[in-house]
Amino acid sequence: MRPETLVRDHTIYACVMGSRAFGLATEGSDTDRRGVFLAPAPLFWRFGKPPTHVEGPAEEQFSWELERFCELALRANPNILECLHSPLVEHADATGRELLSLREAFLSRRVHETFTRYAHGRRRTLEADVRAHGAPRWKQAMHLLRLLVSARDLLRTGTLTIDVGEEREPLLAVKRGEVPWPEVESWMARLAEEGARAARRSPLPEAPDRRRVEDFLVRTRRASALQADPYDEVVQGVVRGGGVGQG
């Protein structure tokens, strides 16, 4: 089965991300699409496994296989967690809606470590740009600030909201290069400190609910196996419990 076929025929959840989801879109902003597909269970029974992710087939489109998506979300990957909380959902079937109902199961205080580590990496890149060119890439600076705001508020409230709301204009001013770099640095440092304080008394649990997520994944895989192609004799033999090569 071709990767684009998996995305076309087996997507369970699709949303818009990037500036449009963050409330930071301007004229000419791209439309970044992200999705989750459920590879049919029989594909895992062969030597060649289905891909863990697929880029495309449309421009600015990227999708993950459900298991990989859940693994990354349990690790508190910022991009994955934000994908689950996009306000711009384009598609969600029954399985996709159940995935969305598990959003809080993925959240834990681990977000402080992962969001902070991600932010440090981005900041080092920005500082290198300042040393080399006298200024950072302002769009990247804006998105780093947005990430720090999101992490702080998540740790404070236990709820991940990715639309920047009232922060839109100050953040766009950074993107336009209207805020001096020292002021941006100061803003970043303040947000990091506020996030650290929030982490110490966050309402989030210490760890995600891995068992709940795994139960969902197993039930979904089992249901997929029972929907196997009726013309695939090997698949049907395994599903019925006869085993491969048994009469």
Side-chain angles (χ1 to χ4, degrees), residues 59-199:
E59 292 288 332
E60 308 296 337
Q61 183 180 14
F62 193 95
S63 301
W64 296 266
E65 206 283 323
L66 176 61
E67 183 172 342
R68 178 59 173 166
F69 185 87
C70 289
E71 287 176 343
L72 293 172
L74 287 168
R75 297 177 195 171
N77 179 290
N79 291 326
I80 300 294
L81 292 180
E82 290 184 335
C83 184
L84 275 174
H85 292 78
S86 172
L88 303 176
V89 175
E90 294 190 316
H91 170 75
D93 65 9
T95 305
R97 291 192 295 273
E98 185 171 2
L99 174 64
L100 289 176
S101 75
L102 291 171
R103 285 185 295 193
E104 73 279 3
F106 294 105
L107 297 177
S108 72
R109 295 190 184 191
R110 292 177 183 174
V111 300
H112 180 243
E113 177 186 353
T114 56
F115 277 58
T116 298
R117 185 168 62 242
Y118 192 63
H120 282 169
R122 282 193 174 186
R123 183 164 178 175
R124 285 194 297 270
T125 300
L126 293 171
E127 290 170 344
D129 287 338
V130 173
R131 290 192 298 271
H133 308 292
R137 286 175 288 180
W138 292 110
K139 181 178 179 179
Q140 298 303 316
M142 175 192 71
H143 280 298
L144 174 51
L145 287 166
R146 182 206 63 77
L147 181 72
L148 290 169
V149 169
S150 179
R152 179 201 62 189
D153 292 348
L154 168 57
L155 289 162
R156 282 177 173 176
T157 67
T159 301
L160 180 55
T161 302
I162 67 173
D163 188 296
V164 299
E166 295 179 356
E167 300 285 357
R168 172 181 164 83
E169 290 308 319
L171 287 171
L172 288 177
V174 171
K175 180 182 179 182
R176 294 190 295 265
E178 297 172 357
V179 182
W181 175 241
E183 291 186 26
V184 173
E185 284 189 301
S186 178
W187 190 2
M188 290 177 180
R190 184 173 69 254
L191 288 170
E193 182 180 345
E194 291 171 351
R197 286 201 303 269

Side-chain angles (χ1 to χ4, degrees), residues 35 47 49 57 141 184 198 208 238:
F47 289 121
K49 306 302 181 186
V184 173
V238 175

